[in-house]
Amino acid sequence: MIAASTLQLASNENPLGMPPAARRAAAEALDTSDRYPDAAGTQLRAALAQKLGVPAEWIVLGSGSSEILTLAALAFVQPGEGVVSSQYGFLVYAQAARLAHGRHDIVAAKDFGHDLPAMLKAIDERTRLVFVANPNNPTGSFLRGGELLPFLEQVPAHAVVLLDEAYTEYLTPGQRYDSMGWARRFPNLLVARTFSKAFGLAGLRVGYGVGQPALMARLNALRPRYNITTPALAAAAAALADEDFQARSFALNLQGREQLARGAAELGLRSLPSAGNFVMLEVGDAAGVHSALAGQGILVATLEAYGLPRWLRISVGLPEQNTRVLEALAALPPAST
Ligand SMILES: Cc1ncc(COP(=O)(O)O)c(C=O)c1O
């Protein structure tokens, strides 16, 4: 149990919390929650289809996008077949590969991000699934559309590319690219997105995948029928409609990310440029700094599981929360950083 006073900057949630309209919609949906949810998520999928400009049949809902990632591995990878991802990739990719009893080929990162040419080389005739996160968690690295498109053009048809866009709403207008157009063009592309980050619904567990009907049919065949609860469906539809909340989340994140990066630089700490709602800082004894911060009621993420024992990942908070974590870092004895 985490105390209410704890500052949670460990899981890349939205510091604005849940959009009020989503909270109201979830509460109202409790009235009908004695019944099973709409297994097809008709209303939410229709709203997403309209927003994304793809048919509703191209959208599969997941209990968080994590479920889309694992369903994809189970749907496309037979035991012994290959899964390719990058070093410092999201931990669920390895878990998904294990669940499918696949062979997981992890390609060395380049400058903490995906090395797309090396990933292409790692794809062989047994590869069935390739995970690419853009932006990537935990490093925050970003691939431009102009880098991704030639990659997609070269991935052989027998491998599905899962483009994980969990943080896509945080991209600046200049960084955005048309992955929905790519889904129309490439039958082997599956785009995954989530309501956990910019939409503020991490605890309600809603994500989705977008791709052509043949791909989606394979995911749907494995999807648990009632995987999204009635309150979660209602909240997600309300959050999707709240464009003002999305704009505020985006602006707050941009400002907060700069605040953290600037503050870290002033402390002499290296940070990586991030396109997400978090920043990775090199603090040296990360486990020690993590527990010192925890002692002051500030939770950030250690990255040992990613092979990054000298780094911490700090989620962007409200301005005063960012100040609090920077002040706590500044007050640490020099030996610990
Ligand atoms: C890169 C990436 N993909 C997917 C997810 C999955 O989030 P969720 O299952 O909450 O949608 C996360 C969450 O941290 C993430 O960082």
Side-chain angles (χ1 to χ4, degrees):
M1 189 73 189
I2 298 169
S5 58
T6 301
L7 175 51
Q8 288 193 60
L9 299 176
S11 303
N12 304 342
E13 294 129 340
N14 192 326
L16 289 175
M18 187 181 293
R23 180 185 293 273
R24 281 195 300 276
E28 275 169 29
L30 287 176
D31 287 345
T32 54
S33 292
D34 54 331
R35 304 287 179 188
Y36 281 104
D38 171 14
T42 315
Q43 221 189 325
L44 176 59
R45 284 172 57 242
L48 280 167
Q50 190 172 12
K51 178 131 180 168
L52 303 173
V54 296
E57 296 68 42
W58 289 35
I59 300 170
V60 171
L61 301 178
S63 172
S65 56
S66 300
E67 188 177 42
I68 300 294
L69 310 182
T70 47
L71 284 178
L74 292 170
F76 306 132
V77 183
Q78 296 303 312
E81 291 181 333
V83 176
V84 170
S85 70
S86 173
Q87 184 186 17
Y88 312 132
F90 187 41
L91 290 178
V92 171
Y93 307 155
Q95 197 186 26
R98 278 199 302 278
L99 269 174
H101 301 286
R103 179 200 74 197
H104 190 188
D105 301 311
I106 301 176
V107 177
K110 191 176 165 201
D111 301 327
F112 292 94
H114 294 66
D115 182 344
L116 292 180
M119 289 180 77
L120 271 179
K121 281 206 191 101
I123 296 171
D124 64 20
E125 70 287 350
R126 298 274 287 161
T127 303
R128 294 291 174 270
L129 185 60
V130 182
F131 285 110
V132 176
N134 202 38
N136 186 53
N137 171 32
T139 57
S141 61
F142 170 70
L143 296 158
R144 285 177 291 106
E147 297 170 272
L148 272 170
L149 180 58
F151 173 79
L152 295 173
E153 286 169 337
Q154 289 173 76
V155 172
H158 64 259
V160 170
V161 176
L162 194 154
L163 182 58
D164 180 349
E165 296 189 333
Y167 302 95
T168 199
E169 294 81 9
Y170 295 114
L171 296 182
T172 60
Q175 288 175 318
R176 289 184 194 148
Y177 53 88
D178 180 21
S179 55
M180 293 301 116
W182 295 347
R184 259 180 246 114
R185 178 168 164 201
F186 298 104
N188 62 336
L189 176 64
L190 170 57
V191 179
R193 292 188 181 168
T194 182
F195 283 89
S196 298
K197 310 296 177 185
F199 295 97
L201 302 181
L204 286 176
R205 313 302 302 128
V206 193
Y208 58 96
V210 183
Q212 294 190 13
L215 277 192
M216 303 326 260
R218 292 172 69 186
L219 287 192
N220 256 326
L222 298 181
R223 181 180 69 88
R225 184 164 167 76
Y226 300 116
N227 62 336
I228 317 291
T229 66
T230 305
L233 287 170
L240 193 67
D242 192 343
E243 289 184 356
D244 175 57
F245 180 87
Q246 288 155 40
R248 281 193 295 130
S249 299
F250 170 80
L252 186 80
N253 186 62
L254 202 57
Q255 191 193 0
R257 200 168 66 193
E258 276 165 21
Q259 185 189 359
L260 284 177
R262 202 179 335 107
E266 281 164 18
L267 296 174
L269 297 175
R270 179 179 176 204
S271 70
L272 296 185
S274 170
N277 65 345
F278 50 86
V279 176
M280 215 169 91
L281 297 187
E282 188 175 21
V283 296
D285 172 17
V289 175
H290 175 267
S291 37
L293 293 176
Q296 298 180 49
I298 303 172
L299 283 186
V300 299
T302 53
L303 300 171
E304 260 159 50
Y306 288 90
L308 294 162
R310 296 178 52 78
W311 296 77
L312 290 176
R313 189 194 63 209
I314 304 182
S315 306
V316 174
L318 300 171
E320 60 274 21
Q321 295 173 332
N322 302 329
T323 301
R324 185 170 152 204
V325 71
L326 288 168
E327 283 176 359
L329 283 171
L332 292 177
S336 53
T337 55

